[in-house]
Amino acid sequence: MKILIIQPKLEHTIKQLENELHNNNSADIVIFPEGYLNENIESACHLAKRFNTILIGGHRRLNDRPKDRAIIIDRSGTVILDRIKYSPTSFVEVEGLKIGHILCDELIVQGIKNESEMNVDLVVHPIGVGMFSEEQFQEWIDEARKIAITYNTMIIGTSHADGSYGDTGVSIPIAYCFGKNGEEIFISKNDVRPRILDLQSTNISISQEVH
């Protein structure tokens, strides 16, 4: 199974997602940042079905508090997970993989908030904007590695290519993947090129196109 990890810029549409699906039509799963879909759920469902791809990331309902939600859309274009941020962690079986889904600062605030689920193959961690300091970057990387080791699971995180937390003016785009023993598969800082991870070999290929 091949996983495409993308770091699009914030946008009102989901054109960047569509372009990446065009360019990487062998991907089985696409992971994108928290909030990226905004309210374009119907369009995302059409893309999942059109490209026969599983979409995992986040979207927003502006009238909700908190507004951010975790989402998984299967190959048929059906939403199989739609969880509000800071609620208990959800686990969904997708084509033989048991996938956990945590959003952005849930990594620090609550981690895996569902101790009954211990046998998980993959934790997906969509992040909103980039890190606001080198210290935060290292803190989040260290915490993600701990989750991989504690739950004996692969974990993958990705943020947007732009945006700064609280208008700090600083944004360090982040993407990463750790294996089940906490081994580094990749850590990306300020490099927003799409990456494809082959789960069978844990080989990484990186697009030469920069957003």
Side-chain angles (χ1 to χ4, degrees), residues 22-56:
H22 270 296
N23 294 336
N24 300 279
N25 55 24
S26 67
D28 298 290
I29 296 174
V30 181
I31 298 175
F32 50 87
E34 177 192 58
Y36 170 72
L37 291 186
N38 289 305
E39 296 178 295
N40 297 302
I41 305 305
E42 185 175 353
S43 296
C45 290
H46 286 309
L47 286 180
K49 185 174 182 179
R50 176 181 162 195
F51 289 96
N52 190 36
T53 306
I54 300 158
L55 302 180
I56 307 178

Side-chain angles (χ1 to χ4, degrees), residues 13-129:
T13 66
I14 52 173
K15 189 64 178 176
Q16 292 166 91
L17 174 60
E18 183 176 5
N19 289 341
E20 294 297 352
L21 288 168
H22 270 296
N23 294 336
N24 300 279
N25 55 24
S26 67
D28 298 290
I29 296 174
V30 181
I31 298 175
F32 50 87
E34 177 192 58
Y36 170 72
L37 291 186
N38 289 305
E39 296 178 295
N40 297 302
I41 305 305
E42 185 175 353
S43 296
C45 290
H46 286 309
L47 286 180
K49 185 174 182 179
R50 176 181 162 195
F51 289 96
N52 190 36
T53 306
I54 300 158
L55 302 180
I56 307 178
H59 72 106
R60 290 174 177 168
R61 290 184 183 170
L62 297 181
N63 293 327
D64 286 353
R65 291 293 179 270
K67 63 183 179 296
D68 285 302
R69 304 180 70 94
I71 192 167
I72 299 178
I73 303 170
D74 70 14
R75 294 182 195 264
S76 72
T78 301
V79 175
I80 59 174
L81 170 66
D82 185 4
R83 175 183 70 83
I84 194 165
K85 192 173 183 179
Y86 305 128
S87 62
T89 308
S90 297
F91 296 84
V92 177
E93 187 162 327
V94 182
E95 298 185 7
L97 284 179
K98 192 169 189 179
I99 299 177
H101 195 314
I102 59 176
L103 279 176
C104 202
D105 65 338
E106 286 185 333
L107 176 76
I108 304 298
V109 173
Q110 64 184 39
I112 301 289
K113 190 180 178 182
N114 191 336
E115 295 298 330
S116 66
E117 297 285 355
M118 296 299 291
N119 299 313
V120 56
D121 300 301
L122 172 65
V123 172
V124 178
H125 178 215
I127 304 165
V129 297

Side-chain angles (χ1 to χ4, degrees), residues 126-146:
I127 304 165
V129 297
M131 304 288 95
F132 58 74
S133 68
E134 294 287 344
E135 291 76 16
Q136 187 197 22
F137 189 100
Q138 191 60 51
E139 178 190 17
W140 285 42
I141 288 296
D142 291 344
E143 198 61 37
R145 191 192 303 269
K146 288 178 186 176

